[in-house]
Amino acid sequence: MAITRGFTGRRARDPRLPPGQYDARDEWPVLHIESTPSLDTARWTFGIEGLVERPVSWSWDEIHALPRSRYAGDIHCVTTWSKFGMTFDGVSVDTLLDAAGPLPAATHAEILTHSGYTTNLPLADLTGGKAWVVWDADGKPLTREHGGPARLLVPHLYFWKSAKWVSGLRLLDHDEPGFWERNGYHDRGDPWSEQRYQGD
Amino acid sequence: MSAPTHRKTLRWQIARVLSVRDETPSARTFRLALPDPRPHLAGQHYVVRLTAPDGYTASRAYSIASAPSGDPEIELTVERLPDGEVSEFLHDVVEIGDELEVRGPIGGGFFAWPGDTPALLVGGGSGVVPLMAMLRHARSIGRPDLVRLVVSARTEADLYYAAELPGPETTVVLTRSGRGRLTAADLAPLVRGGEDVFVCGSPAFCDTVTDLLAAVGVPVASIRTERFGPSA
Ligand SMILES: Cc1cc2nc3c(=O)[nH]c(=O)nc-3n(C[C@H](O)[C@H](O)[C@H](O)COP(=O)(O)OP(=O)(O)OC[C@H]3O[C@@H](n4cnc5c(N)ncnc54)[C@H](O)[C@@H]3O)c2cc1C
């Protein structure tokens, strides 16, 4: 670690802030790289494919008919902002995976989106109440720049894993780096250990 | 079929500040010498990490302003944001001879111009930085005909790279002192069809420009945007 001459760091550290993060307070920065797609909920789908007993696909109405699940807590973006005390409503990924029946060989998931962006996750980071497909943020429908109509939410990891405009999961028996991971970002992205880039 | 897997491991390195110069009253360009230079593409960025004696760190992304040249040096242009932790430090404290920890180049493929295809570049504020790298690259390889750059700035004084910018490839739109905001009529004559379009600036600027481009018939799939800073 190289100390930077003259830098003391001005932000008082809040224990909820992982290292290197700042509190974005009322801002919710938008930092995705694609153009913002406009998706019609009438044609929106979410599917699970790959190493599953039954590939499943839900329409907008069908996914809303599943048991609801809420996340209330903090989110952290690799571009260094964090937001405290958000609430997101949607459905738990556990509920979705139960319907598809992951095969024992499945260890990882490739996250697919309607925009072509992809990201990868170990299955263990998507199960056990750690991940959601959400459509409301703080009680209001997700706006399209925040991934509306629905995005993945994996709040214990950096937010690039919480793919906007999510369209499905493909279960794999190996890790398959997604868009940012092929471009130097970390495969897992734990904010508390600052896993920002490959090699962290 | 699976996508080709290649992972780049980027190490932090300690760059030395070779020069600092004012671009506008609120933007400054830093020239850095890299001990471990790596080739970059126009459009890629570096991350600058500041570390306090107690271990607290702050890191931010800054686009490379200089063209790929094979030099072990890069330039970054940083806008000073009021109360911005890193940008204020870079403006107010950093001087020639200082050492800065950096990692890059980052941002392969997507927001990078390889230098051999027609490109329309539209930038606002500090969003012009990666686009300037593309223009510089096109000029240095003798292919300025490949790029068209539109820059939106508030006033003449806010224009980055003012001395170097003018040319047949560039259009400047001044929003305060000139005739107002960028319109579809500014962009329509610059669209050739088949080009890649790179849009960079604040989230609001990127969305406005994307809508204008779509209105003049540019396929949305050919538009790549890079958004800087908090949402408007
Ligand atoms: C790929 C990429 C490339 C980029 N390239 C460039 C570039 O070439 N040039 C450039 O100038 N920028 C660039 N940026 C933006 C840059 O990374 C930083 O976001 C910018 O410099 C601001 O950082 P900062 O530390 O100065 O401000 P921050 O401290 O992060 O603050 C950002 C804003 O939020 C406000 N703020 C911060 N903390 C708080 C708080 N606690 N309460 C209230 N308000 C707060 C500040 O007032 C400030 O206006 C790029 C960003 C990306 C993602």
Side-chain angles (χ1 to χ4, degrees):
Chain A
M1 184 175 67
I3 291 167
T4 313
R5 183 191 68 80
F7 182 67
T8 50
R10 292 180 323 184
R11 313 271 178 242
R13 299 304 291 165
D14 184 311
R16 293 171 297 175
L17 271 187
Q21 298 291 111
Y22 78 92
D23 176 4
R25 301 181 189 218
D26 298 334
E27 299 278 352
W28 187 359
V30 178
L31 283 159
H32 62 265
I33 196 152
E34 307 97 322
S35 307
T36 306
S38 191
L39 300 172
D40 184 358
T41 52
R43 278 180 298 155
W44 182 91
T45 56
F46 181 89
I48 300 185
E49 58 187 63
L51 297 174
V52 290
E53 284 164 19
R54 311 163 281 281
V56 198
S57 174
W58 291 269
S59 68
W60 187 249
D61 290 339
E62 285 164 350
I63 206 165
H64 280 68
L66 297 175
R68 300 293 169 93
S69 175
R70 168 173 290 185
Y71 169 74
D74 307 336
I75 59 175
H76 312 288
C77 176
V78 71
T79 60
T80 73
W81 56 264
S82 292
K83 269 182 88 59
F84 300 140
M86 303 274 298
T87 55
F88 289 92
D89 289 294
V91 51
S92 166
V93 171
D94 292 313
T95 305
L96 302 169
L97 285 172
D98 282 349
L103 294 172
T107 57
H108 289 80
E110 185 179 13
I111 316 304
L112 310 170
T113 70
H114 290 278
S115 66
Y117 173 86
T118 57
T119 187
N120 53 309
L121 282 167
L123 207 47
D125 279 315
L126 283 169
T127 53
K130 293 198 281 299
W132 291 260
V133 170
V134 296
W135 43 80
D136 283 353
D138 287 338
K140 291 192 218 77
L142 262 185
T143 57
R144 70 182 181 120
E145 70 269 22
H146 289 302
R151 73 183 298 163
L152 189 70
L153 180 72
V154 193
H156 69 292
L157 299 178
Y158 283 130
F159 226 42
W160 88 83
K161 296 290 180 181
S162 293
K164 297 181 180 185
W165 314 297
V166 71
S167 66
L169 309 180
R170 181 184 294 141
L171 302 199
L172 304 169
D173 59 6
H174 62 281
D175 195 8
E176 187 67 53
F179 177 79
W180 285 121
E181 293 81 10
R182 286 196 300 275
N183 286 301
Y185 281 75
H186 200 274
D187 280 316
R188 181 149 184 272
D190 174 7
W192 295 96
S193 16
E194 274 208 278
Q195 293 174 338
R196 296 178 193 274
Y197 305 101
Q198 298 285 346
D200 280 349
Chain B
M1 240 182 47
S2 55
T5 302
H6 70 116
R7 300 170 190 218
K8 300 169 203 156
T9 300
L10 292 168
R11 303 243 157 264
W12 291 100
Q13 52 176 315
I14 298 187
R16 178 174 297 275
V17 178
L18 294 176
S19 70
V20 182
R21 66 171 190 273
D22 284 342
E23 217 55 75
T24 72
S26 64
R28 205 165 262 190
T29 295
F30 299 84
R31 188 166 189 84
L32 307 178
L34 302 170
D36 178 19
R38 289 157 182 271
H40 73 266
L41 295 171
Q44 289 186 299
H45 63 271
Y46 268 76
V47 171
V48 175
R49 177 165 74 182
L50 310 179
T51 303
D54 66 358
Y56 169 79
T57 62
S59 31
R60 299 290 185 275
Y62 293 101
S63 302
I64 307 165
S66 42
S69 63
D71 277 2
E73 294 170 12
I74 53 162
E75 288 192 349
L76 307 179
T77 302
V78 177
E79 181 184 3
R80 186 184 198 279
L81 292 184
D83 198 35
E85 183 172 29
V86 174
S87 65
E88 275 197 342
F89 175 84
L90 293 173
H91 273 252
D92 298 349
V93 179
V94 168
E95 49 188 51
I96 294 173
D98 276 348
E99 292 183 328
L100 287 176
E101 218 175 352
V102 301
R103 174 148 65 173
I106 298 171
F110 198 83
F111 200 84
W113 181 63
D116 53 3
T117 50
L120 173 60
L121 320 174
V122 189
S126 59
V128 71
V129 177
L131 309 181
M132 191 64 195
M134 298 180 193
L135 176 64
R136 285 173 166 156
H137 184 43
R139 286 176 174 170
S140 76
I141 61 173
R143 291 305 307 274
D145 57 297
L146 285 176
V147 305
R148 292 170 178 191
L149 170 62
V150 184
V151 177
S152 168
R154 258 177 279 185
T155 67
E156 198 82 49
D158 297 309
L159 201 58
Y160 289 27
Y161 320 114
E164 197 186 335
L165 202 57
E169 321 88 344
T170 59
T171 307
V172 173
V173 176
L174 299 178
T175 58
R176 289 275 167 83
S177 62
R179 47 169 190 64
R181 303 176 64 141
L182 198 61
T183 63
D186 293 311
L187 298 173
L190 304 173
V191 175
R192 288 174 275 199
E195 65 267 78
D196 290 318
V197 186
F198 295 88
V199 181
C200 189
S202 67
F205 178 84
C206 291
D207 280 341
T208 306
V209 171
T210 304
D211 290 347
L212 292 176
L213 289 166
V216 300
V218 174
V220 176
S222 67
I223 305 174
R224 298 142 187 243
T225 59
E226 188 153 82
R227 294 143 185 273
F228 287 2
S231 56

